[in-house]
Amino acid sequence: MTQQLLMIEDDTRLASMVGEYLRQSGYGFAHAATGTAGLEALQATPPDLVILDLMLPDMDGLEVCRRIKGRGGDAARTAVLMLTAKGDPMDRIVGLEIGADDYLPKPFEPRELLARIRAVLRRGGNSNGNGGGAPADGHKVMRFGSLEIDRDARAVTVSGNPCELTSYQFDLLVALAERAGRVLSRDQIMEAVRGRELEAFDRSIDVHMGRIRSAIEADAKDPKRILTVRGVGYVFAKQQD
C-alpha cells in the first residue's frame, strides 16, 4: 500500500518540486498552502507523514504541529517532519517537545528529505500505526521491573499502563535499553537511532529524554530508569523496580 505524504508549505514552487520528486520515489503526495488547509486535509484523510513548514501565512507551524498531535485517533499518530529556515535551535527544541518526529533545515537536498522521511516512517512501523493487526507470537519484549518494551508492537507499558511516545522517542528508549548499564554519549545515542553521526552538542536529545522520562518514570525529576551522567550522556539502569 502506497504511503501517503502531506506537505504543508506556502512556497508552491518548492512544494511542486518536492511533490514530483517524492511521487517518483513511490509515495502518494498532497499539498496544502496554509496551516488551516493542511489541518482540514489531515482530518479528512490522515496521511502517514506530514512535511510541515515552520513559517506559514495564517498560523505558526508549531501551532499546526501542536494541533496535529493533540487530535485523537489516526491524526494524532501521524508523523511530523518539520522544515525550518531559522537557525535558532530553540525552534527545533520546541517542535520536538510538542511531538515532532524530526526536523530538516532549509535549504535542503531532496535526497536528504527522502532519507529523513524513510527513516521516520521506518521507525513508525505500519501506516498510521494501525495496520499491524493483532500481535504475533514471538515478540521481542524487554522487561525491566514494571517497564515492558515490545519492539515488534512498538509499545511501552509501565505496570500494564501504556506510555505515549513518538516513534523517535521509542527508538531512543530501545537504543538505551538494549545497551542497559552502558554509558552512552548524546552522539552515540543519536547515531544508534539514525545510523549516522550528528552533532554531539545537539540539545534536542535532552528534550526527547525529558519526554521519555515523563512517560516511563514515576518521578521524572528523580529518574530511576534513565540516568544522566554529567559531562558524558545517559545510561539505562539495569536494576529497576
Side-chain angles (χ1 to χ4, degrees), residues 30-112:
H31 169 237
T34 66
T36 301
L39 290 171
E40 290 174 353
L42 187 140
Q43 186 171 17
T45 308
D48 295 285
L49 180 143
V50 172
I51 305 166
L52 175 62
D53 186 32
L54 190 63
M55 303 296 292
L56 296 168
D58 59 336
M59 69 175 72
D60 190 281
L62 294 174
E63 176 61 23
V64 176
C65 182
R66 188 177 291 109
R67 294 190 187 186
I68 291 174
K69 294 300 183 178
R71 291 169 180 253
D74 290 342
R77 291 190 290 270
T78 299
V80 175
L81 191 158
M82 292 194 313
L83 301 178
T84 173
K86 293 184 177 181
D88 188 351
M90 282 304 299
D91 292 317
R92 303 198 303 267
I93 292 173
V94 172
L96 293 169
E97 282 184 329
I98 61 178
D101 295 88
D102 202 353
Y103 63 86
L104 183 62
K106 291 181 177 179
F108 57 84
E109 288 289 334
R111 286 178 297 178
E112 182 175 4

